[in-house]
Amino acid sequence: MIDVQHVSFAVNKKILVNEVSLFVEPGEFVVIMGPNGAGKSTLLKMMSGALPPTKGKILLKGKDLVTYKTDQLAKQRAVLSQHYEISFPLSAREIVMMGRYPYFNSFPRAEDEGIVTDRMERMQVNDLADRSYQTLSGGEAQKVQMSRVLAQIGDTSENEQKLLLLDEPVSHLDVKYQHQLLAVAKECCKKQVAVIAVLHDINLAIKYADRILFMKQASVIKSLAKDEAVTSELLEAIFDIKCNLVDLPGGGKFVVF
Amino acid sequence: MLRKSKYLFPVLGILLLAVVISAIALGAVSITLEDMFAAANNWIHHKEPGNIYQAVFLQIRLPRILLCMITGAILAVSGVLMQGLFRNPIVEPGLLGTIAGAAFGASLVFVLSGSMNKDIVHFAGPMLVPIFAFAGGLLATAVVYTLSKGTSRVTVTTLLLIGIAVNAVGLSGTGFMSYIARDPQARSITFWNLGTFSGATWLQVWITGIVAAFVFILSLRYAKQLNTLVLGEEEAQYAGVDTEKLKRRIMILNTAMVSVATAFVGVISFMGLIIPHVMRLLVGSDHKKLIPASMIAGAILLTLADMGARLLLAPAEVPIGIITSLVGAPIFVILLKRTHILYSKGGGND
C-alpha cells in the first residue's frame, strides 16, 4: 500500500526526519510513538503527500506520492489532523459531508448521504448532526472530524484499498471514546485499509497496533511487532522516564510510568 | 441549531420583485404599472415609447435599476468569495487593491483629462473614466498578486497584508490627485468615491451583466471547494482541493467583476461586507446556498439604497455610498454583537 523509502526531511539544515523506511500493507494498523519533537507528525505529513521529502521517496500503490494530483490523492487516503479551526459556522453533518466532496460533482448522491449517516452512527455523533460545529466540545468535534475522514475513506474492498492517517486522534477524547475510535479504525483495517496513527498512550498502542514504530530524534529506533514483548529498557530509552510493566490477568502487559 | 428555511429563496424572489417595481415606479417622475407594460409592449414591437413616462422608464429608470441590481449582486458575491478565500468574516471585495486602484485611475482622468491627447478623450467620451478605473483596478490587483508570490506559494496572510499596503498607496494617490485638482475636479473625485447610478446606460448594463453572469456561474462551481477551505488550507488539500489553483481563480473572478462594476458606478462601501454576514445567518455557511442567496440579497439592498439616494433629498440626489455606509455600519455592528458566538470559536484568521 505505502512504501516509504529512506525518507528524510530537513528545514534550515535542521533534520526533522532522518532516513526512515516503512512498508505498510492494507489491513495493518501501525502506531508511531515517541517523545515530542521526534518527527512523528512530519513523517505522517510526508506520507499524506502534503510535505514532499527532501530526500528519498514514498510510493503509494507503487506510484510516487508527489506525482499524484490533489483530487486523485483524496480518493486514496484520508488524514485526521491534530487541530481544526473552522472559520465559518457549519453544521456537523455539513462538515462530515465534506469527506464525500471528492466523489460527487455538485450535489451529494444518495450513496454519499448514506455513507455520511453511517459514519456518523459509527462515531456515535448522529444526534449532533444539526449542531453548529463551533458549539461542539473538543471531544465532540474530534469525533465529527473522524466521521468526516471515515466518509472520505468510503467503502473499501479488495480492489479498492485505502490509507488512513491519524495524527493524535484521541487527544481530546474520554477513555470510552478513545477505545471506541481506535476500535472503529481497527475495523477499517479488516476492510482493506492501512491505518497509520500517531499515539501518546503506550497501552492503547499495545492493545490496537499490529506494529509499533518508536521514534526519537528524527530516527526510528525500534519497530516492535505484535508478537514481540515490550520491555521497560526500551521504553525508558525512548521516553527518558522510569517505568514498570505489570502483568495483566488475561495475559499481556500494562505499562505504568 | 443553524437556522435554515426552505422558504428563503421564494421570499427573496418576491422581495426582489417588489423592490424592483417600487424602485421603477418612484422617483422624480412617477411611472405607473400600465406605463411599464405599455413601454415593454412597444419595445417588443419595435415601436417608439408612447409617452414621456414610457421614455423615462426605458431610457433612464430601467437601465439604472438593472445596473443597481447587477452591481449589488456582484459586490455581495465578491464579499462571499473573498471572505471564503481568506477564511475571515471581515474581508471586503476591495481587499486585493482592486477598488483603490480603480479610484486612482478615475481620479487621474478627472484631473488630467484636460492635458490628455484630445483625440483619445474625444474618442473614449463617457467611457474614459470607466476605462481608466478598470485598468487601475486590474493593475493594483496584479501588483498585489505579484508582490505576494515571493518564494513558492501565496499564503493568505501575506496576500492580506500586501493588499492593505497597496490599498494605502492607491488611497494616497487619489488623495494627491484631489490635492492638485481644481475645485470642480476635486468634487468629481469625491463624488466618484461615494458612488452613483445616475448616469446608467444600457451599454453599462450589458457589459456588467455579461461579466456578472459568467462570474456567478463559475463561482457556483467553486462552492464546494470554498466550503472545504473552511477547515483550513491544509485540510482542504487533504480533501482534494488544489488550493493554489483555487486562490488564483477566485482572485481572477473577483478582480474581473469588481473592477467592471466599480468602473461604472464608483466606490460603494459596506455592501460586500455586510450581505454575506446577514445571509450566513439565514442560510448557513454552505457556499452552494450562500452564493445565490447573497446574489439576490445584494440586488435587493443596493436597489433599495439607490431608491433612498434618489428620494431622500429629491430632487437632489444623495451619493449612494453615503447611504450604504450610514445604514450599513450600524447594522454591521448590531449583527456582530448579536452573532459573536458564531465566530467566537476558531473564527477569524489563519
Side-chain angles (χ1 to χ4, degrees), chain B:
Chain B
M1 292 287 281
L2 297 177
R3 270 167 284 165
K4 270 167 238 170
S5 165
K6 57 180 170 179
Y7 299 114
L8 183 84
F9 280 99
V11 168
L12 280 179
I14 292 167
L15 263 177
L16 180 64
L17 197 68
V19 167
V20 165
I21 291 176
S22 20
I24 293 173
L26 302 174
V29 177
S30 307
I31 295 168
T32 59
L33 269 177
E34 289 97 88
D35 280 326
M36 292 181 210
F37 284 122
N41 197 33
N42 285 337
W43 181 78
I44 289 166
H45 295 96
H46 302 287
K47 281 193 263 180
E48 288 297 305
N51 58 30
I52 180 79
Y53 301 106
Q54 294 179 19
V56 167
F57 166 64
L58 277 183
Q59 305 307 330
I60 299 173
R61 205 69 54 81
L62 195 56
R64 175 171 189 150
I65 281 150
L66 286 173
L67 189 64
C68 227
M69 287 165 58
I70 296 166
T71 309
I74 282 178
L75 291 175
V77 170
S78 158
V80 172
L81 295 184
M82 286 289 100
Q83 294 179 3
L85 184 64
F86 287 93
R87 309 185 62 229
N88 190 325
I90 55 163
V91 161
E92 274 208 287
L95 184 86
L96 299 174
T98 319
I99 292 177
F104 178 63
S107 71
L108 273 182
V109 178
F110 291 129
V111 178
L112 301 178
S113 62
S115 41
M116 282 180 193
N117 185 317
K118 291 285 174 295
D119 292 331
I120 296 177
V121 174
H122 183 74
F123 178 75
M127 291 298 274
L128 195 61
V129 172
I131 289 170
F132 268 74
F134 182 74
L138 286 191
L139 197 70
T141 318
V143 168
V144 170
Y145 187 69
T146 321
L147 285 180
S148 60
K149 244 174 142 173
T151 47
S152 55
R153 52 194 219 105
V154 184
T155 70
V156 156
T157 321
T158 28
L159 207 55
L160 201 130
L161 293 174
I162 289 171
I164 290 171
V166 170
N167 266 314
V169 173
L171 277 180
S172 58
T174 312
F176 180 71
M177 282 297 144
S178 315
Y179 175 68
I180 63 168
R182 277 176 285 114
D183 212 31
Q185 299 168 341
R187 276 183 73 80
S188 298
I189 296 176
T190 308
F191 279 130
W192 198 87
N193 276 302
L194 293 169
T196 182
F197 285 91
S198 63
T201 65
W202 279 107
L203 179 67
Q204 297 174 351
V205 171
W206 279 113
I207 295 175
T208 49
I210 289 168
V211 171
F214 268 113
V215 169
F216 292 157
I217 291 168
L218 286 174
S219 53
L220 278 174
R221 281 184 47 194
Y222 300 135
K224 232 173 53 174
Q225 305 191 353
L226 282 168
N227 282 352
T228 328
L229 213 52
V230 169
L231 294 175
E233 258 182 81
E234 202 170 270
E235 307 311 319
Q237 283 171 18
Y238 290 148
V241 177
D242 187 336
T243 50
E244 289 304 298
K245 216 191 256 176
L246 180 69
K247 260 183 247 174
R248 261 199 316 274
R249 288 179 174 170
I250 297 277
M251 283 175 64
I252 292 170
L253 289 187
N254 189 66
T255 311
M257 63 180 173
V258 173
S259 46
V260 165
T262 310
F264 291 128
V265 302
V267 181
I268 295 170
S269 44
F270 261 103
M271 289 294 291
L273 183 61
I274 208 169
I275 287 169
H277 276 268
V278 180
M279 288 300 114
R280 231 176 252 123
L281 287 179
L282 294 174
V283 299
S285 300
D286 182 351
H287 287 84
K288 262 174 290 178
K289 295 178 214 151
L290 187 59
I291 290 173
S294 300
M295 197 173 96
I296 305 174
I300 293 175
L301 284 180
L302 201 57
T303 310
L304 270 179
D306 184 54
M307 229 157 92
R310 288 187 285 129
L311 299 175
L312 277 180
L313 295 180
E317 248 188 54
V318 187
I320 191 166
I322 293 182
I323 296 186
T324 53
S325 304
L326 215 57
V327 180
I331 294 179
F332 182 65
V333 173
I334 293 167
L335 278 175
L336 279 188
K337 288 246 169 212
R338 288 192 52 183
T339 62
H340 70 282
I341 308 153
L342 280 177
Y343 295 108
S344 60
K345 197 174 158 192
N349 302 300
D350 269 2

Side-chain angles (χ1 to χ4, degrees), chain A residues 147-215:
Chain A
S147 315
R148 176 179 67 81
V149 170
L150 290 171
Q152 190 178 337
I153 289 288
D155 293 328
T156 45
S157 64
E158 201 74 54
N159 310 319
E160 193 74 52
Q161 305 171 329
K162 306 239 169 133
L163 174 66
L164 177 59
L165 301 171
L166 308 170
D167 197 356
E168 296 187 27
V170 297
S171 54
H172 292 112
L173 299 179
D174 60 43
V175 183
K176 176 185 162 194
Y177 283 106
Q178 291 184 1
H179 284 277
Q180 195 248 353
L181 187 143
L182 292 173
V184 169
K186 190 89 186 163
E187 237 176 80
C188 287
C189 281
K190 289 185 194 137
K191 296 178 190 149
Q192 300 296 321
V193 176
V195 180
I196 304 174
V198 172
L199 289 181
H200 276 303
D201 185 331
I202 179 71
N203 292 305
L204 284 176
I206 292 173
K207 179 161 184 197
Y208 291 98
D210 296 316
R211 189 163 24 134
I212 305 175
L213 225 57
F214 290 98
M215 283 185 83

Side-chain angles (χ1 to χ4, degrees), chain A residues 106-166:
Chain A
S106 318
F107 293 96
R109 303 157 299 173
E111 182 194 341
D112 301 310
E113 300 281 0
I115 288 178
V116 166
T117 307
D118 175 73
R119 300 308 186 270
M120 291 185 84
E121 260 162 24
R122 275 199 220 175
M123 290 310 300
Q124 303 180 19
V125 288
N126 245 330
D127 51 334
L128 304 176
D130 290 327
R131 276 267 297 280
S132 170
Y133 181 85
Q134 278 151 317
T135 65
L136 301 179
S137 75
E140 289 170 329
Q142 200 161 32
K143 284 184 265 175
V144 168
Q145 293 293 357
M146 181 65 178
S147 315
R148 176 179 67 81
V149 170
L150 290 171
Q152 190 178 337
I153 289 288
D155 293 328
T156 45
S157 64
E158 201 74 54
N159 310 319
E160 193 74 52
Q161 305 171 329
K162 306 239 169 133
L163 174 66
L164 177 59
L165 301 171
L166 308 170

